[in-house]
Amino acid sequence: MKIVTTVEELRDQLSGQLRTAFVPTMGNLHEGHLSLMRLARKHGDPVVASIFVNRLQFGPNEDFEKYPRTFNADVEKLEKEGVYVLFAPTEKDLYPEPQEFRVRPPDGLGNTLEGEFRPGFFSGVTTVVLKLFSCVQPRVAVFGKKDYQQLMIVRNMCRQFALPTSIIAAETWRADDGLALSSRNMYLSPEERAEAPQLYQALNFVAEEVRQGHKDVFSLEHKAMDTLTQRGWKPDYISIRKQIDLQPPTAGDMAEGAPLVVLAAAKLGTTRLIDNLEI
Ligand code: PAF
């Protein structure tokens, strides 16, 4: 695996490649990330990964400074997955001057759910993703469904800007007890780690009720949030949305059986976890 840090080196390595499959990450790689690499390998060649902790997508009180950086272990894992190039720019490499041009996702999609609780997050994500795409010029790029709204926003960005990159969605990788793998799980104490699968349980409860024909979205969402609150969580939202545009379903949508997804974000201690389940 070639490790490159500058855009020039990256372009040299990839010149003439037309079928590049790309997996952007912020490092601290776990089995979920590695499953993205494997999926990438099925959809293109060479596989290129990036590791870059993107300051633009962190709020002032978020965990940018303490975000886990485990570069050497990450490199070892990527080597084993047969990744061809790892692009690991420093901040100066990727943002040699202040990044003043920004992508602004549309309000409907960008300001709801995660966008409501993390203002500026999706602008930071889409700005860096557009920039990384411009550096790597991938034919396909793989994103996990764990960050469901991110996946949808990136996909819409590619469509609206007519980018020549197809977005491939990878299923969420879960621990045996159901907890979705995330780099932030490492912030959990042993007691919190034992409690953490309750978020997935709450999603399953909502999904199962909807499948059984329960149509009162509001009461289901509140019941699930109350359960978590009683267990000591601080939920930001548990929300049933339409898969197509992440807007709340109308009674008509519910009656017609529109494809739905239930999304959740909640704090356990100081750690904020997100997860979702398609219904
Ligand atoms: O999902 C992530 O790890 C990040 O948001 C991404 C897509 C690598 C952009 O920084």
Side-chain angles (χ1 to χ4, degrees):
M1 182 172 75
K2 296 270 182 328
I3 302 175
V4 298
T5 53
T6 67
V7 178
E8 290 68 30
E9 286 173 289
L10 178 72
R11 293 221 161 111
D12 277 354
Q13 284 298 327
L14 294 180
S15 79
Q17 300 286 3
L18 297 176
R19 296 184 54 242
T20 300
F22 177 45
V23 186
T25 81
M26 298 204 301
N28 191 238
L29 304 179
H30 50 64
E31 206 45 47
H33 292 110
L34 303 183
S35 76
L36 306 186
M37 306 296 158
R38 285 170 216 143
L39 190 58
R41 194 129 49 93
K42 287 195 186 144
H43 287 271
D45 183 42
V47 173
V48 176
S50 66
I51 294 179
F52 181 69
V53 184
N54 172 41
R55 189 187 289 273
L56 299 187
Q57 71 191 70
F58 287 79
N61 299 319
E62 292 185 353
D63 54 348
F64 176 75
E65 298 298 342
K66 75 164 187 169
Y67 196 84
R69 287 152 173 95
T70 51
F71 190 72
N72 293 340
D74 293 346
V75 166
E76 236 173 76
K77 290 175 185 164
L78 294 176
E79 297 261 15
K80 287 202 185 106
E81 294 302 330
V83 169
Y84 177 68
V85 173
L86 168 61
F87 180 43
T90 64
E91 282 198 286
K92 271 226 148 35
D93 290 321
L94 204 61
Y95 302 132
E97 55 188 90
Q99 183 67 32
E100 287 167 343
F101 285 90
R102 300 285 177 104
V103 179
R104 181 154 94 72
D107 288 347
L109 200 51
N111 289 355
T112 186
L113 302 167
E114 284 304 280
E116 183 183 337
F117 289 90
R118 303 182 69 188
F121 171 65
F122 286 120
S123 176
V125 168
T126 48
T127 300
V128 81
V129 168
L130 182 62
K131 192 152 187 177
L132 289 168
F133 281 8
S134 159
C135 299
V136 176
Q137 309 208 349
R139 173 71 198 83
V140 300
V142 181
F143 287 76
K145 283 193 190 177
K146 156 90 173 15
D147 297 292
Y148 203 87
Q149 193 176 5
Q150 165 174 284
L151 163 69
M152 174 158 284
I153 288 178
V154 167
R155 202 172 245 160
N156 286 6
M157 174 180 79
C158 288
R159 200 185 58 234
Q160 280 215 350
F161 284 130
L163 303 184
T165 303
S166 303
I167 302 302
I168 296 172
E171 293 303 323
T172 300
W173 198 275
R174 297 183 182 282
D176 289 343
D177 58 10
L179 176 65
L181 295 201
S182 161
S183 300
R184 292 189 166 101
N185 293 352
M186 63 173 289
Y187 300 146
L188 299 169
S189 69
E191 296 73 33
E192 289 166 346
R193 174 62 190 80
E195 171 65 18
Q198 291 298 325
L199 187 63
Y200 182 54
Q201 297 300 327
L203 293 174
N204 269 305
F205 160 76
V206 173
E208 201 42 44
E209 290 289 316
V210 172
R211 285 190 199 111
Q212 298 296 325
H214 199 134
K215 298 217 166 10
D216 186 348
V217 166
F218 186 77
S219 84
L220 275 179
E221 293 170 346
H222 278 265
K223 202 164 167 197
M225 284 205 280
D226 286 348
T227 305
L228 286 183
T229 305
Q230 277 159 25
R231 300 184 65 94
W233 294 68
K234 290 197 188 67
D236 281 344
Y237 59 82
I238 294 186
S239 193
I240 299 170
R241 298 293 174 104
K242 288 184 285 177
Q243 285 182 25
I244 183 107
D245 56 6
L246 291 188
Q247 296 309 303
T250 61
D253 294 322
M254 295 301 285
E256 281 165 21
L260 302 173
V261 53
V262 52
L263 306 103
K267 263 189 163 177
L268 187 55
T270 54
T271 307
R272 188 171 181 279
L273 300 177
I274 65 168
D275 199 356
N276 66 80
L277 204 54
E278 287 176 322
I279 301 176

